[in-house]
Amino acid sequence: MSLTQVPRSAARVRDGRPLQKGRQTKASIVEAALGLATQIGLEGLSIGALAEATQMSKSGVFAHFGSREELQISVIREYHARFESEVFYPALKEPRGLPRLRALFANWMKRTSIEIDSGCIYISGAVEFDDRAGPVRDALASSVQVWHAAMKRAIASAKDEGHLNPDVDEEQMLFEIHGLILALHYEARFLQNPGSIARANAGFDRILRQYGARSSTTKSSKKE
């Protein structure tokens, strides 16, 4: 082998370093963009504003995304990944049925109580893109639909376990639960009414009773 030839393993190490650095840089940009989006909304994001926030050049930021639209979609994906890691996955540790449904709502409320100050991408994004077709709206809607599907599965599981009435309409119950979260954002963030979190929790307990909840401590006999 001549001195000008580089072993394949060495080439991978050499070429992998810029690739890894590039991913880290992009992740840092998305982190900064997510912070901005919670304050000014997805529509307020721009390559220029992000370049200023990250102290990078506009061309440097643009090279990682290619367009403002791709930047917005990357922020939505990151927000969704964090939402799942904080709300959905921890709840899977709970038994099937009502305990898991309660855990999903409790985790959702915990995150929502934090977002009263920082803002929710799902809610602000829905306001910004509700009547605007395109990839950004599609990404937002898809993320919310994935979360809704998870909640409906939890409600159906609670029915199967006998923790809720067998004739419960999963879609209707989900609609009412989601309504509590939307009302909480409006009451606590916009109107700044004290006690909103307690009222949302009380509303959830009332919904469970309405649909025949037996016990929050019922143990499940079924596996995942």
Side-chain angles (χ1 to χ4, degrees), residues 7-28:
R8 291 185 179 180
S9 58
R12 283 197 296 269
V13 172
R14 183 193 63 194
D15 295 341
R17 288 174 182 170
L19 180 61
Q20 183 179 8
K21 184 178 180 181
R23 289 173 177 170
Q24 291 173 343
T25 301
K26 184 173 183 178
S28 297

Side-chain angles (χ1 to χ4, degrees), residues 10-172:
R12 283 197 296 269
V13 172
R14 183 193 63 194
D15 295 341
R17 288 174 182 170
L19 180 61
Q20 183 179 8
K21 184 178 180 181
R23 289 173 177 170
Q24 291 173 343
T25 301
K26 184 173 183 178
S28 297
I29 296 173
V30 171
E31 175 79 21
L34 180 56
L36 280 175
T38 57
Q39 299 173 28
I40 62 177
L42 287 168
E43 187 61 20
L45 285 179
S46 69
I47 299 295
L50 197 52
E52 183 177 348
T54 57
Q55 296 185 333
M56 293 178 61
S57 65
K58 291 182 180 180
S59 59
V61 174
F62 186 83
H64 286 281
F65 299 97
S67 69
R68 178 167 172 263
E69 187 176 81
E70 183 56 39
L71 169 63
Q72 292 169 324
I73 292 173
S74 294
V75 168
I76 293 168
R77 289 171 179 163
E78 178 63 21
Y79 181 85
H80 181 70
R82 296 187 184 193
F83 186 91
E84 286 190 323
S85 67
E86 294 177 20
V87 177
F88 178 69
Y89 292 120
L92 294 180
K93 299 176 183 178
E94 298 298 323
R96 286 168 52 91
L98 194 55
R100 186 172 298 175
L101 180 59
R102 282 188 176 276
L104 283 170
F105 184 78
N107 294 345
W108 197 1
M109 282 292 297
K110 182 178 179 180
R111 183 176 176 90
T112 299
S113 65
I114 296 173
E115 291 179 335
I116 288 173
D117 295 323
S118 63
C120 173
I121 295 295
Y122 287 159
I123 294 176
S124 62
V127 173
E128 292 174 311
F129 292 91
D130 60 347
D131 60 349
R132 297 172 56 183
V136 177
R137 185 189 187 283
D138 292 345
L140 272 169
S142 176
S143 296
V144 175
Q145 287 165 354
V146 167
W147 170 236
H148 277 192
M151 286 293 290
K152 283 193 286 187
R153 286 195 300 272
I155 294 170
S157 175
K159 286 172 55 178
D160 293 341
E161 295 292 333
H163 300 166
L164 298 175
N165 292 333
D167 60 348
V168 167
D169 183 334
E170 292 98 332
E171 195 73 46
Q172 179 62 33

